[in-house]
């Protein structure tokens, strides 16, 4: 990997991590079309930490309010809307963590193919478009209860399959139960924080236990570029999501799937 590749791959990661368009679907293209090597475990950790920093900074007020309210509920001071939402984020994270522990090796062995990637990119793109078109969009984030949180949480576990897109599947699930687009995206982004932190910690543990040489220059580039691009991506998406809806992303996923299929057949 050189500096140019580090910038490109980190920008792809930052731009696609939080949009419902599948980061894995995009990262496979430079490797396949340009023959670039896999970015490696250390770089993967760096760009994930960058994405995490970006979403934490964008939602810093929400995070502070949720943590304070959650802490108060732990201390027996009762529940308010923020403490309930904090608990729902925690509860909704558990299915994906458990699924990752149980099925990670199976997925790595049998579902890391280009055709699986292309098919899931296509199928979930169509589902996203259909749900966005026909869902009610009437509920707000304050209407989330335990059942809705678990439903979105179990949907997040499906993102372990390449091409599904974590943000895509959680936004789709949130829209399906009637949340408006802004609150569906907001809950998806809040839900991303613990799962990205858990995945990053797991990868970091693997990195510490390995003998991998660490190229700190490229890791620094990856961290900074991923953080900056992810932050502006979240900012633009949250400002525009109610106006543009999810249909452009659904159409884009279908086109991307076609490109991946074409690349595989080439």
């Amino acid at each position: 990997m050189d500096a140019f590749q580090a910038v490109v791959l980190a920008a792809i990661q930052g731009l696609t991590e939080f949009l419902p368009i599948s980061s894995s679907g995009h990262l496979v293209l430079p490797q396949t079309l340009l023959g670039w090597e896999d970015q490696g475990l250390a770089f993967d950790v760096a760009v994930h930490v960058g994405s995490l920093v970006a979403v934490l900074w964008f939602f810093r007020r929400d995070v502070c309010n949720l943590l304070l309210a959650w802490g108060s509920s732990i201390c027996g001071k009762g529940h308010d809307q923020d403490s309930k939402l904090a608990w729902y984020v925690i509860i909704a994270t558990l299915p994906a963590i458990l699924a990752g522990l149980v099925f990670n090796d199976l997925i790595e062995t049998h579902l890391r193919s280009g055709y699986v990637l292309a098919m899931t990119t296509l199928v979930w793109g169509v589902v996203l478009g259909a749900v966005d078109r026909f869902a009610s969009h009437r509920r707000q984030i304050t209407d989330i209860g335990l059942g809705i949180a678990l439903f979105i949480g179990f949907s997040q576990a499906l993102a372990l399959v390449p091409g599904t897109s974590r943000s895509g599947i959680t936004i789709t699930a949130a829209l399906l139960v009637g949340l408006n687009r802004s609150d569906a995206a907001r809950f998806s982004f809040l839900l991303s924080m613990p799962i990205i932190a858990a995945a990053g910690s797991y990868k970091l543990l693997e990195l510490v236990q390995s003998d991998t040489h660490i190229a700190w220059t490229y890791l620094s580039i990856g961290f900074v570029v991923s953080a900056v691009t992810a932050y502006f991506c979240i900012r633009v998406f949250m400002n525009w999501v109610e106006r543009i809806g999810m249909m452009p992303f659904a159409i884009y996923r279908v086109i991307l799937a076609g490109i991946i299929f074409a690349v595989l057949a080439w």
Side-chain angles (χ1 to χ4, degrees):
M1 178 186 293
D2 56 30
F4 175 73
Q5 292 177 3
V7 170
V8 171
L9 292 174
I12 291 174
Q13 173 69 30
L15 290 171
T16 59
E17 176 69 33
F18 298 106
L19 293 180
I21 55 176
S22 173
S23 58
S24 56
H26 288 79
L27 289 171
V28 74
L29 294 178
Q31 297 171 11
T32 304
L33 293 176
L34 304 176
W36 291 4
E37 296 181 0
D38 183 86
Q39 57 190 3
L41 182 60
F43 190 81
D44 204 23
V45 171
V47 295
H48 273 81
V49 172
S51 298
L52 178 61
V53 169
V55 71
L56 283 171
W57 181 251
F58 186 87
F59 289 100
R60 58 192 180 278
R61 293 186 180 87
D62 297 65
V63 171
C64 288
N65 291 337
L66 292 177
L67 287 176
L68 289 172
W70 179 75
S72 295
S73 71
I74 289 290
C75 296
K77 296 183 179 180
H79 289 283
D80 59 14
Q81 191 57 52
D82 283 336
S83 68
K84 291 178 181 178
L85 183 58
W87 277 112
Y88 293 147
V89 169
I90 294 171
I91 292 169
T93 301
L94 296 179
I97 292 178
L98 292 175
L101 293 174
V102 174
F103 298 112
N104 184 68
D105 291 341
L106 176 66
I107 291 170
E108 289 289 337
T109 303
H110 298 288
L111 297 180
R112 286 288 175 185
S113 75
Y115 288 103
V116 170
L117 176 66
M119 185 57 67
T120 51
T121 300
L122 173 63
V123 169
W124 289 116
V126 172
V127 173
L128 173 63
V131 170
D132 184 65
R133 172 65 178 82
F134 296 107
S136 65
H137 307 293
R138 294 177 180 176
R139 284 178 166 172
Q140 298 179 342
I141 200 167
T142 52
D143 296 320
I144 291 177
L146 180 59
I148 291 177
L150 283 173
F151 178 73
I152 299 173
F154 276 105
S155 75
Q156 182 172 234
L158 295 174
L160 292 168
V161 180
T164 302
S165 170
R166 191 215 59 81
S167 60
I169 196 67
T170 52
I171 289 174
T172 299
L175 292 174
L176 188 61
V177 296
L179 263 69
N180 63 62
R181 295 183 180 98
S182 293
D183 283 347
R186 182 186 170 200
F187 190 71
S188 173
F189 291 149
L190 292 175
L191 200 56
S192 74
M193 300 175 195
I195 203 67
I196 293 177
S201 299
Y202 181 77
K203 290 177 181 293
L204 181 60
L205 180 61
E206 285 186 326
L207 180 62
V208 170
Q209 294 174 343
S210 70
D211 297 324
T212 304
H213 170 71
I214 299 178
W216 290 106
T217 299
Y218 300 144
L219 262 62
S220 300
I221 293 172
F223 168 78
V224 172
V225 173
S226 175
V228 171
T229 54
Y231 176 83
F232 283 104
C233 180
I234 296 169
R235 184 172 182 175
V236 171
F237 183 73
M238 291 301 296
N239 286 337
W240 283 68
V241 64
E242 283 293 345
R243 281 178 281 179
I244 66 174
M246 299 296 165
M247 193 59 70
F249 302 105
I251 295 171
Y252 179 83
R253 285 184 68 120
V254 173
I255 296 172
L256 177 63
I259 293 173
I260 297 173
F261 275 123
V263 169
L264 293 172
W266 180 36

